[in-house]
Amino acid sequence: MRTTNNKRVLMLSEEKISHLSHIILQAVKKSPLVTVGADDGRVLKEIKKVLAAELAQEAEIDRKVRAKLASYSRGIVEGSGEWDVLYRKTFEEESRKHTKG
C-alpha cells in the first residue's frame, strides 16, 4: 500500500483478492434481494476479475497523477501539504475521467 497524508492506494495480493471475493460472495448469497444463478466458482471468478480491474485502474490513476505532479516546473515536494492537496484534487479529476469513459 502506498500512502500520502490523505490518500491510500491499495495494492492487494492474489490471496487478499481471493479472500475478499469469498466475503463478497457470501454477503451476496445472504441477501434476500439477490438470486445467484451461476455456480460459486463462476461468480467468484467474476468478482475477482472486477476487483482486479478496479485496483489496476486505481493504480494507473495513481501513476498518472504522480507523473503529472512530478512534471510541475516548481518542484512540489511529495508528502508536503501542497502536494497532498494537489494529489487528491488531481486524483479525483482523473477518477472522474475514467468513470465517464
Side-chain angles (χ1 to χ4, degrees):
M1 176 185 318
R2 283 188 275 179
T3 62
T4 66
N5 290 342
N6 299 316
K7 179 74 178 167
R8 292 183 180 161
V9 178
L10 290 177
M11 295 185 292
L12 300 177
S13 67
E14 268 304 307
E15 292 170 349
K16 288 181 180 175
I17 289 174
S18 180
H19 178 69
L20 287 173
S21 299
H22 282 85
I23 291 171
I24 291 169
L25 176 60
Q26 293 309 312
V28 167
K29 289 171 75 175
K30 287 181 183 176
S31 173
L33 303 174
V34 177
T35 302
V36 179
D39 66 275
D40 286 1
R42 189 172 176 181
V43 176
L44 279 171
K45 185 177 178 181
E46 190 62 29
I47 293 170
K48 289 176 188 176
K49 184 175 156 186
V50 170
L51 285 174
E54 289 294 321
L55 290 169
Q57 181 177 337
E58 188 165 311
E60 177 63 18
I61 292 170
D62 175 70
R63 187 194 60 75
K64 284 182 179 179
V65 169
R66 289 175 184 276
K68 187 173 187 175
L69 295 182
S71 73
Y72 289 172
S73 61
R74 59 186 166 110
I76 303 166
V77 177
E78 183 173 341
S80 67
E82 180 182 16
W83 191 92
D84 288 341
V85 169
L86 286 171
Y87 178 91
R88 187 176 55 248
K89 179 181 172 188
T90 309
F91 193 94
E92 289 170 2
E93 289 171 0
E94 286 294 326
S95 295
R96 281 193 294 274
K97 288 180 191 175
H98 284 265
T99 303
K100 290 178 183 175

